[in-house]
Amino acid sequence: MQLAVGPVASASVVAFADYAERVLDGKVHGIEPGAGLPPDVLDAFRRRLQEWRRLAAAGPAFLWEADVPGDQAEYLVHAFYRLARRLDIAAADGAPAAPEQAEPFYRLLVGALLDGLAADGTGAAEFADHLRSFWPGGAGS
């Protein structure tokens, strides 16, 4: 599955990565360390955050492109969706939400992930369409 996110301001990527790392470290109210993710997913998320930070440090505009096997992408997108739902619920209970500056990157990332799944095949397309209608923050639309 081909993915492309950007161009977007590198500052938005850094704001997203900072918040995501706090979530994964269990520093956001209502989310335990590791965010309840399987170890392979947690490792994959942390590697992506490191990669995105390196790219964001290269200049004011960020562009990320990747080729991810469809089944792996579907697995990670599902985990990302479940975490986004948990964060949405935690925010409703008073947990700090992601910073506003992270929103442009978040929206582009979610859109690219769902568009990539939709283009990858029939089963993945149905999955993407389903998630798009429920993704927290309307980021999937």
Side-chain angles (χ1 to χ4, degrees):
M1 177 172 92
Q2 292 290 321
L3 296 172
V5 178
V8 64
S10 290
S12 182
V13 178
V14 171
F16 177 86
D18 287 347
Y19 177 73
E21 287 173 355
R22 285 195 320 274
V23 168
L24 297 178
D25 290 342
K27 296 180 179 174
V28 172
H29 175 74
I31 306 295
E32 68 277 9
L37 298 169
D40 61 328
V41 172
L42 183 60
D43 289 344
F45 283 4
R46 288 191 187 280
R47 281 193 311 274
R48 282 293 181 228
L49 291 172
Q50 290 171 355
E51 177 185 1
W52 294 338
R53 277 188 181 285
R54 281 193 306 274
L55 288 171
F62 171 93
L63 176 63
W64 174 67
E65 296 177 329
D67 185 18
V68 180
D71 56 341
Q72 179 186 22
E74 192 170 340
Y75 177 63
L76 293 173
V77 167
H78 187 254
F80 184 31
Y81 168 76
R82 286 191 334 260
L83 181 56
R85 291 282 302 145
R86 288 183 61 214
L87 288 167
D88 196 42
I89 292 166
D93 290 338
E100 189 175 320
Q101 190 174 19
E103 188 69 21
F105 175 71
Y106 173 73
R107 285 187 174 278
L108 285 175
L109 175 61
V110 171
L113 292 170
L114 296 178
D115 290 347
L117 283 176
D120 200 49
T122 306
E126 291 172 9
F127 178 64
D129 286 343
H130 176 74
L131 287 182
R132 194 179 307 275
S133 62
F134 295 104
W135 202 283
S141 47

